[in-house]
Amino acid sequence: MTLIADRPGPGAARPYRFPPVVRRAVAGGQVVAAHLPGQNLAVALLLLDVGAGQEPIGKEGLSGVLAKALEEGTAQRDAAAYALAVEGLGTALSTGLDWDSFQASVVIPVDRLSAAVELLAEAVRTPRLDPADVRRVRDDEATALRMDWANPGPRADAALRADLFGAQNRWGRPMHGDPESVAGLDVEDVTVFHSEWFLRPGTLIVAGDLDRIDLDALAAAAFAGTGGGPAERPGPVEVPLHSERRIILVDRPGSVQSTLRLGHPSPHRAHPDHVPMTLAGTVLGGAFTSRLNHLLREVHGYTYGIRGDFAASRRFGRFAVSSGVQTAVTALALVEAVGEITRTQVGGVTEEELAVARSWRAGQLSVELQSPRAIASALTTLVVHDLPDDYHARLRESLLSADVAQVSAAAATHLHPEALTLVIEGDAAVIRDDLEATGLATLLP
């Protein structure tokens, strides 16, 4: 047996070419498409400017319930008939949402794309929304959330978000709501939300062989019966940093592990520093070879894994670190994590570390952006975040050309170890004194 003591070095990032982007206005909406010559599969994705961020305070989880209710039939056919129509084409309706947008999509051979888009539009524009179905979907979603929130993590995530962004703001509450907010929704909440947001045209994203696709006909089907014009798109939110670190303890009596969530606000997705921030986050905590994972997993054995990175929506962003550690080493792990974030902010990154991060991030592009689904997802990024059409075409070079000075400057500017909120979900009776003894921060009541 041969043991390899040294990590293998980074390989060369394989080249990739993002297809040209086509844009046009049709039937009151926008079409954004990518030409994939010879590709037999195509993706059509209806993108609406409504996400969790548009939900009223106290109605968190509303868009998720509506998304599931779209599968319960339409004004033209009941749930069974609609399911048979979709399955008869050999596809499935997929829905998704984030802070900024709602998406409904199909993946299907090109020659069936037109019929699939008609069914997609039927579900989104004219859902049945039978009261009994809506209540059942709501109750199922609330039950699923109760099961999820019984595990470590969701309460810590919610505590961190509320402290960073303020529970009085929608973006300071869980994106998918919590068991209580979802259980409290009624049928009128769902129907009113649909009528307010889901009858606007939106954007039709298409990825496929455009020589075989009639974009105008697809758009006419996708935007039929819509109106009201485009939704208002508010600008970035200015989120102030805390003046000092703070510790929030979420009690989980008897827990044999502590769940760690460390974070602070960061810039929105379209910020010009996005690429160097991404690389700085990769070096610090965004990969298995990262500083945090090496220190806390490999050197100290405190955790099976730890991750830290920047994530952003159209209006706001956050830097966050997440891990689970043994209860006995909670305070020690916290000290090491904060110390590593501080060292990265003060000292920047090395050329060796950055070479690995650059190669991995750039190399991912040639792997990730291969399928029509992946290309369609990339197009949604352009639309949601108002990025230029050549963004993905230039992204590989932007990653590979970022140097130590740029990435270190991004770490110095956008990491704020002194303003971190440190959320620990664990057995408070066991870990409270150790946390206070670290002197890292004030333990909030």
Side-chain angles (χ1 to χ4, degrees):
M1 180 182 295
T2 301
L3 297 178
I4 299 175
D6 297 325
R7 292 177 177 170
R14 287 184 285 176
Y16 88 107
R17 179 177 298 172
F18 195 82
V21 177
V22 176
R23 289 182 184 256
R24 66 178 66 169
V26 182
Q30 297 292 319
V31 176
V32 178
H35 182 34
L36 308 178
Q39 176 63 254
N40 194 45
L41 280 180
V43 173
L45 183 151
L46 185 59
L47 180 68
L48 302 180
D49 276 327
V50 55
Q54 281 73 37
E55 294 172 346
I57 292 293
K59 304 293 184 182
E60 297 82 26
L62 177 55
S63 49
V65 171
L66 176 53
K68 291 294 180 64
L70 297 182
E71 303 172 9
E72 301 298 324
T74 69
Q76 292 85 353
R77 10 181 162 217
D78 62 21
Y82 184 81
L84 286 172
V86 173
E87 290 172 7
L89 293 176
T91 188
L93 178 69
S94 299
T95 59
L97 64 98
D98 53 27
W99 286 107
D100 304 308
S101 66
F102 170 86
Q103 305 172 18
S105 63
V106 289
V107 182
I108 195 164
V110 173
D111 58 0
R112 303 177 198 165
L113 182 60
S114 179
V117 169
E118 290 178 4
L119 286 173
L120 182 156
E122 183 179 317
V124 173
R125 309 303 191 183
T126 60
R128 183 172 291 259
L129 298 183
D130 180 85
D133 291 335
V134 173
R135 294 188 189 100
R136 175 172 47 79
V137 169
R138 174 202 62 195
D139 292 345
D140 287 348
E141 288 295 289
T143 298
L145 281 171
R146 290 189 191 98
M147 295 172 63
D148 186 42
W149 281 58
N151 297 315
R155 289 199 299 153
D157 290 331
L160 177 61
R161 178 164 291 279
D163 187 70
L164 298 188
F165 302 113
Q168 76 279 7
N169 299 312
R170 176 60 189 93
W171 50 89
R173 302 184 179 205
M175 185 168 72
H176 297 290
D178 58 41
E180 289 71 32
S181 68
V182 171
L185 298 172
D186 59 35
V187 174
E188 185 179 6
D189 293 326
V190 175
T191 57
V192 169
F193 194 72
H194 178 271
S195 64
E196 183 176 358
W197 295 103
F198 280 59
L199 299 180
R200 300 171 187 263
T203 302
L204 180 65
I205 305 289
V206 180
D209 188 343
L210 299 187
D211 290 338
R212 301 164 59 193
I213 296 172
D214 186 340
L215 291 179
D216 291 345
L218 289 183
F223 303 144
T226 63
E232 181 183 355
R233 302 180 69 171
V237 178
E238 294 296 329
V239 183
L241 293 164
H242 293 312
S243 58
E244 60 181 12
R245 278 197 298 266
R246 59 187 59 197
I247 296 176
I248 298 174
L249 186 52
V250 178
D251 192 18
R252 191 176 180 85
S255 179
V256 298
Q257 281 195 325
S258 294
T259 298
L260 308 184
R261 298 291 188 267
L262 291 61
H264 60 65
S266 65
H268 59 96
R269 175 62 177 78
H271 192 280
D273 283 350
H274 176 73
V275 166
M277 284 169 56
T278 297
L279 290 169
T282 302
V283 170
L284 174 58
F288 189 79
T289 57
S290 71
R291 290 181 172 186
L292 284 170
N293 201 58
H294 176 73
L295 180 63
L296 272 77
R297 174 190 161 102
E298 298 181 29
V299 175
H300 292 297
Y302 291 158
T303 179
Y304 187 75
I306 182 169
R307 185 172 184 85
D309 58 14
F310 292 93
S313 70
R314 188 164 61 210
R315 305 192 67 196
F316 57 86
R318 64 100 183 103
F319 169 76
V321 173
S322 61
S323 185
V325 301
Q326 299 173 43
T327 296
V329 298
T330 301
L332 295 173
L334 202 62
V335 169
E336 293 291 354
V338 172
E340 195 60 69
I341 296 168
T342 302
R343 283 189 287 275
T344 303
Q345 192 268 340
V346 172
V349 303
T350 68
E351 178 57 42
E352 182 180 9
E353 293 171 319
L354 182 55
V356 174
R358 280 190 306 239
S359 175
W360 180 52
R361 289 291 183 185
Q364 276 186 311
L365 297 178
S366 58
V367 176
E368 293 177 348
L369 295 177
Q370 292 190 60
S371 68
R373 169 72 78 182
I375 297 296
S377 178
L379 294 178
T380 65
T381 299
L382 301 183
V383 175
V384 171
H385 301 292
D386 296 318
L387 298 172
D389 286 352
D390 64 349
Y391 175 81
H392 292 290
R394 294 185 292 103
L395 182 55
R396 179 177 183 273
E397 182 56 35
S398 297
L399 288 164
L400 292 176
S401 64
D403 59 29
V404 168
Q406 291 172 314
V407 176
S408 296
T413 302
H414 300 296
L415 287 175
H416 301 280
E418 77 290 348
L420 283 167
T421 295
L422 315 175
V423 177
I424 301 92
E425 181 181 0
D427 191 333
V430 175
I431 62 178
R432 181 185 295 274
D433 290 346
D434 288 344
L435 292 174
E436 290 182 330
T438 64
L440 284 174
T442 302
L443 182 60
L444 299 184

